[in-house]
Amino acid sequence: MIDDQLLIDRIRRPRPDGLAIVPGSLPVTSFGDPRSARVASVGINPSVSEFCSGKKGKPLLEPAKKRFVDREALGLGEHDEPTEEQALRVAESCDRYYDVNPYWSWFSPMQTYVMDPLGVSYKDRTAVHLDLVQWATDPVWSRIESNDVQNRLVDDDLPFLRALIAQGGYDLIVLNGKTVVETFRRFGMFEVEHEEKRVLGGTTRTTLLTGTVGGRRALGWTLNVPGQNLKVQKQGLAEWLSSSWP
């Protein structure tokens, strides 16, 4: 069972400097409720769009459109530490993510091509999304030029993800994309039992992996489902998932 204190401590941890973290943001401990989910997907880190508008200068989302409780909503400065009560409010906003104003243009492909074939849903809380790094960054992950910045963020945040997986009651962990798969393997978190390269559509080969994460069944792939991939590739992945689980 997931302990509230785990979430509170993560949210209250001081914000590190010099790591491209979105101003005004707080850590996203989960997208959806990690307590009720049977399947957890894992990505890299939250999008800047989770906290900011697309306007020039990327201001924080206005109050009616906020996806999470952020520093502005709490009246906190950039380096002010939230109280335990405030941190719990942030965690609760993470639990309610799909009930409020989800960034559905990112999650819709994951729902259609991953969760639907697995028989679960983000919206009904049978699925949850977690990240390697809980901070949203600007620039986005792929445009962070410094490997040192990326490595520092992963090193700082991966212990929380390990604990969240260990405490959760998930039946299945799914790893979306090459970066996530390689990170889990590099840190000894993904025990791979079978690995194959398959053309799911077009000409590009995708690596498909089965195994365990923290003693739970796990499936991973190098295709980035929300990315600009061919629809036929995503459909091929969906067919593989349907045949691989349960």
Side-chain angles (χ1 to χ4, degrees):
M1 184 64 180
I2 293 170
D3 184 356
D4 282 348
Q5 198 62 47
L6 173 68
L7 309 178
I8 290 169
D9 290 346
R10 174 63 193 90
I11 292 164
R12 297 189 71 201
R13 193 194 313 159
R15 171 188 163 166
D17 289 320
L19 297 184
I21 293 167
V22 172
S25 67
L26 285 162
V28 179
T29 50
S30 65
F31 293 82
D33 191 346
R35 297 171 183 82
S36 61
R38 303 199 311 268
V39 177
S41 58
V42 183
I44 301 175
N45 77 313
S47 167
V48 61
S49 297
E50 299 290 359
F51 289 95
C52 300
S53 72
K55 298 177 183 178
K56 186 176 181 181
K58 297 181 180 176
L60 290 171
L61 292 168
E62 59 189 73
K65 295 183 179 179
K66 287 187 185 298
R67 309 183 199 280
F68 301 101
V69 172
D70 58 17
R71 290 183 176 277
E72 182 179 71
L74 295 175
L76 295 176
E78 208 56 46
H79 291 283
D80 292 342
E81 182 179 296
T83 64
E84 290 212 356
E85 181 179 354
Q86 289 174 325
L88 191 57
R89 283 183 58 194
V90 175
E92 289 170 347
S93 73
C94 295
D95 290 349
R96 298 191 305 269
Y97 176 77
Y98 300 105
D99 301 330
V100 182
N101 180 31
Y103 184 33
W104 199 242
S105 60
W106 194 94
F107 283 100
S108 179
M110 289 292 291
Q111 180 61 51
T112 299
Y113 299 106
V114 179
M115 297 308 170
D116 283 351
L118 297 174
V120 293
S121 171
Y122 292 120
K123 290 186 174 181
D124 72 4
R125 301 194 175 199
T126 53
V128 68
H129 183 77
L130 312 175
D131 279 327
L132 297 174
V133 171
Q134 293 87 55
W135 291 110
T137 56
D138 186 16
V140 298
W141 191 265
S142 61
R143 295 180 184 174
I144 295 176
E145 296 181 356
S146 170
N147 288 335
D148 289 342
V149 169
Q150 292 180 333
N151 291 338
R152 168 77 183 280
L153 286 166
V154 170
D155 288 345
D156 284 356
D157 286 6
L158 202 59
F160 170 78
L161 178 61
R162 282 182 186 267
L164 197 59
I165 290 174
Q167 290 188 14
Y170 316 115
D171 298 322
L172 177 68
I173 309 293
V174 295
L175 309 179
N176 176 65
K178 183 179 179 181
T179 297
V180 176
V181 168
E182 290 184 346
T183 301
F184 266 64
R185 298 188 79 171
R186 176 159 51 95
F187 285 88
M189 296 172 64
F190 188 12
E191 296 185 16
V192 176
E193 297 169 357
H194 179 73
E195 177 178 351
E196 66 174 298
K197 294 184 183 295
R198 185 185 300 182
V199 177
L200 298 175
T203 58
T204 303
R205 294 204 301 172
T206 297
T207 302
L208 304 171
L209 309 98
T210 60
T212 59
V213 168
R216 325 293 174 82
R217 295 302 303 167
L219 301 171
W221 51 86
T222 53
L223 180 75
N224 179 27
V225 173
Q228 299 300 313
N229 305 296
L230 295 174
K231 184 176 180 180
V232 68
Q233 291 177 314
K234 299 176 185 181
Q235 289 173 332
L237 177 65
E239 291 170 4
W240 176 72
L241 288 168
S242 294
S243 64
S244 301
W245 180 259

